Amino acid sequence: MSKVKYLTQEEAKKFDEDLFALGFNNDQLMELAGLSCASVIENIFPASSHRRVLVICGPGNNGGDGLVCARHLCLFGYNVAIVYPKRPERMAPLLKQALCSGALELSELPSLDDLSNEYDLIVDAIFGYSFQGAIRSPFDTIIATLAKTTISVISLDIPSGWDVEKGDVNNTGFSPAALISLTAPKLCMKDYKGAHFLGGRFVPKSVEQKYELNLPQFAGSQQFARL
């Protein structure tokens, strides 16, 4: 089988536009992506050893994926807390759903010491493929903390603060223990050495063939595959 294709930022944007043209919408894609991310976490960081989870959400769709992931993790038996510094109104329903499912919302990111004492896993859902430029407050401080923590971090789509094509151009020093690429992996992850998964089992064959993605086979009804 040919190697999986890694998308540029422009290709990822056009890819989503093609999905929208076929009738998909943002809410639907975030639900499917978030479910797949929670499924990966349940598989490699089971609640028996990583029950206490902190999900850090950004202001865009990546943050929405994180909110959906948080809700499903609650349903899977995890104790979930959410840090959500900048919240657009359009994400309010997803936050409400996560909270009513059992997640707790924190007013700020705990200190490094408190993170080590209170959590077993951090989910990085701050920035996705559309991120570019400098990292602004308060996310610069948050990502700096992620770079220093000894707790396992799993990132959704790309490590937050990375350029989607060139990698850690902001010199954050942040590299997660595991990563879930959504729909298709992005170019910055081509040399990534951590545990790498593909989430989001909803790509129509016509779109996969158009972009020559060569996506891996999903086993049974699983919502993810290992890359």
Side-chain angles (χ1 to χ4, degrees), residues 208-227:
E208 180 182 349
Q209 292 167 358
K210 175 180 177 179
Y211 290 89
E212 300 180 332
L213 298 180
N214 300 314
L215 298 178
Q217 294 295 314
F218 293 88
S221 59
Q222 279 195 338
Q223 298 300 303
F224 64 90
R226 185 142 194 171
L227 292 174

Side-chain angles (χ1 to χ4, degrees), residues 9-227:
Q9 188 173 52
E10 184 62 24
E11 286 172 329
K13 180 182 177 182
K14 289 181 178 178
F15 183 92
D16 277 358
E17 289 173 352
D18 283 351
L19 291 177
F20 296 146
L22 291 174
F24 289 89
N25 60 58
N26 264 327
D27 288 345
Q28 181 183 20
L29 296 182
M30 287 188 290
E31 182 65 33
L32 292 168
L35 173 59
S36 71
C37 291
S39 300
V40 171
I41 291 169
E42 194 277 332
N43 182 264
I44 63 172
F45 296 113
S48 58
S49 57
H50 293 77
R51 186 171 300 277
R52 304 171 302 172
V53 181
L54 178 64
V55 182
I56 308 174
C57 298
N61 288 350
N62 197 259
D65 297 338
L67 293 172
V68 173
C69 177
R71 168 162 46 87
H72 286 289
L73 289 176
C74 288
L75 299 175
F76 292 170
Y78 292 80
N79 297 331
V80 181
I82 297 170
V83 173
Y84 198 18
K86 293 187 180 293
R87 60 191 65 189
E89 184 60 32
R90 67 186 180 91
M91 296 297 183
L94 293 181
L95 177 60
K96 184 176 182 180
Q97 291 163 18
L99 297 179
C100 75
S101 297
L104 299 176
E105 186 178 11
L106 306 182
S107 59
E108 60 183 8
L109 183 71
S111 67
L112 272 173
D113 287 342
D114 287 344
L115 285 173
S116 298
N117 292 329
E118 298 173 10
Y119 297 98
D120 305 307
L121 177 69
I122 298 173
V123 178
D124 160 31
I126 303 173
F127 299 129
Y129 76 79
S130 60
F131 173 80
Q132 56 186 355
I135 307 169
R136 299 179 180 178
S137 178
F139 299 110
D140 52 351
T141 302
I142 292 173
I143 292 172
T145 300
L146 294 183
K148 295 175 184 176
T149 185
T150 57
I151 301 171
S152 293
V153 179
I154 184 166
S155 292
L156 310 190
D157 206 25
I158 67 172
S160 288
W162 282 30
D163 181 276
V164 70
E165 296 176 13
K166 300 176 182 178
D168 189 16
V169 297
N170 286 302
N171 298 314
T172 65
F174 170 50
S175 184
L179 182 126
I180 307 167
S181 288
L182 297 174
T183 64
K186 311 311 182 290
L187 191 58
C188 65
M189 304 315 301
K190 200 164 189 177
D191 297 319
Y192 176 66
K193 303 303 182 185
H196 193 183
F197 296 83
L198 177 69
R201 187 178 181 177
F202 53 78
V203 179
K205 279 295 180 184
S206 60
V207 180
E208 180 182 349
Q209 292 167 358
K210 175 180 177 179
Y211 290 89
E212 300 180 332
L213 298 180
N214 300 314
L215 298 178
Q217 294 295 314
F218 293 88
S221 59
Q222 279 195 338
Q223 298 300 303
F224 64 90
R226 185 142 194 171
L227 292 174

